[in-house]
Amino acid sequence: MTEQETAEQELTDKVVASFDSAKDERFREVMRALVRYAHAFVRETRLTHDEWTAAIEFLTAAGHLTTDTRQEFVLLSDVLGISMLTVAVNEPGLHESTESTVLGPFFVRDSPAIELGGNIAGGATGEPAWVEGRVTDTGGDPAPGARVEVWEADDDGMYDVQYDDGQLAGRAHLFTDAEGRYRFWGLTPTPYPIPDDGPVGRLLDHAGRSPMRAPHLHFMVTAPGFRRLVTHIFVADDPWLDADSVFGVKESLVRPFDRHEAGTPTPDGRRPEGPWTSTTFDIVLAKE
Ligand code: BEZ
Ligand code: FE
């Protein structure tokens, strides 16, 4: 080790050791690792003062933009793949249950309740999509009364919370029946960009990366005794499947949205004036 390397290592060791007496064991472990990796990053890149100042300005801009409905730090975590890596490390060995993906920044706690077969659109525009499936445990037994929360963007690529009118639209929750079945009308998902008018958008632009997400419909499924599932379904054969800006696509979550011409009878016995699509998504929950 050179004298310079020794001095750098001594500083790192000193800062790591400054957490030695923290009472909370997990906090101690996480903070020591954070310091080790952050220092290694500075050493490896030989980070300049100007670059560190630019990084702090970037984080400051992300903080100034963040509100209850615009979360720039979630976006940053998503585009750096940290959200998906956190998903991965938290479900090792859960191969028998439905896979998870990113929560994203547009989940809202108190969505409208709908009946089985109801419509989540609430005024959001887009092509109707019939979505149905069954929620079971890993043995195939039904999960009755499971809460199925769904949300999605309209056909302009906007979530309700991105409009100023305060209306909830394109989101709802419903409960599975005695056989674990659910069904609802949603909208055929279309590709849309993640919010890219802030520092994260500038970062993507600088990297020559697209902000587009593969078209998807979000699910959060909860039932007593089961692990909460946060996932999406993605539209099969879409060109953005291979270029999702937040690395959220998993093969097992890709579903065909079958197309039906105007006037084709729907599963709930209607003949819509326009075309519509339909898909099936069976969900397997892991025990807690
Ligand atoms: C979304 O799917 O809503 C989303 C996920 C990550 C970042 C931005 C948006
Ligand atoms: Fe989304």
Side-chain angles (χ1 to χ4, degrees), residues 91-227:
E91 57 174 17
L94 294 181
H95 303 303
E96 291 176 343
S97 51
T98 300
E99 289 193 286
S100 306
T101 187
V102 280
L103 174 64
F106 298 124
F107 172 68
V108 168
R109 204 172 295 278
D110 295 314
S111 69
I114 57 166
E115 296 298 319
L116 283 166
N119 195 329
I120 75 165
T125 56
E127 181 185 58
W130 175 259
V131 184
E132 64 181 12
R134 207 167 159 238
V135 182
T136 63
D137 64 16
T138 51
D141 288 329
R147 182 179 170 121
V148 179
E149 189 86 48
V150 284
W151 68 104
E152 63 177 322
D154 64 17
D155 60 357
D156 281 327
M158 297 278 281
Y159 283 83
D160 50 2
V161 294
Q162 294 177 284
Y163 292 106
D164 290 333
D165 60 8
Q167 296 296 313
L168 292 179
R171 70 177 71 238
H173 67 271
L174 63 163
F175 294 92
T176 55
D177 66 14
E179 294 171 335
R181 293 187 191 285
Y182 71 88
R183 53 195 170 272
F184 63 90
W185 281 102
L187 305 170
T188 311
T190 52
Y192 67 88
I194 65 169
D196 63 347
D197 56 346
V200 171
R202 290 197 289 281
L203 181 139
L204 291 179
D205 188 48
H206 206 62
R209 280 176 53 182
S210 165
M212 293 303 283
R213 287 226 58 203
H216 60 273
L217 167 64
H218 292 260
F219 279 77
M220 180 187 289
V221 185
T222 45
F226 292 99
R227 280 175 69 109

Side-chain angles (χ1 to χ4, degrees), residues 231-274:
T231 196
H232 320 338
I233 50 175
F234 294 92
V235 179
D237 300 323
D238 189 274
W240 290 104
L241 285 175
D242 293 329
D244 186 45
S245 56
V246 303
F247 310 97
V249 178
K250 290 179 172 174
E251 196 53 45
S252 69
L253 302 175
V254 176
R255 286 287 173 286
F257 277 68
D258 297 329
R259 308 207 66 80
H260 308 281
E261 292 309 320
T264 314
T266 62
D268 58 352
R270 296 189 297 117
R271 287 179 186 273
E273 283 172 12

Side-chain angles (χ1 to χ4, degrees), residues 1-13 43:
M1 256 200 194
T2 64
E3 210 175 306
Q4 172 71 21
E5 285 167 346
T6 305
E8 289 173 7
Q9 188 59 50
E10 278 176 5
L11 176 61
T12 301
D13 293 345
R43 284 205 296 268

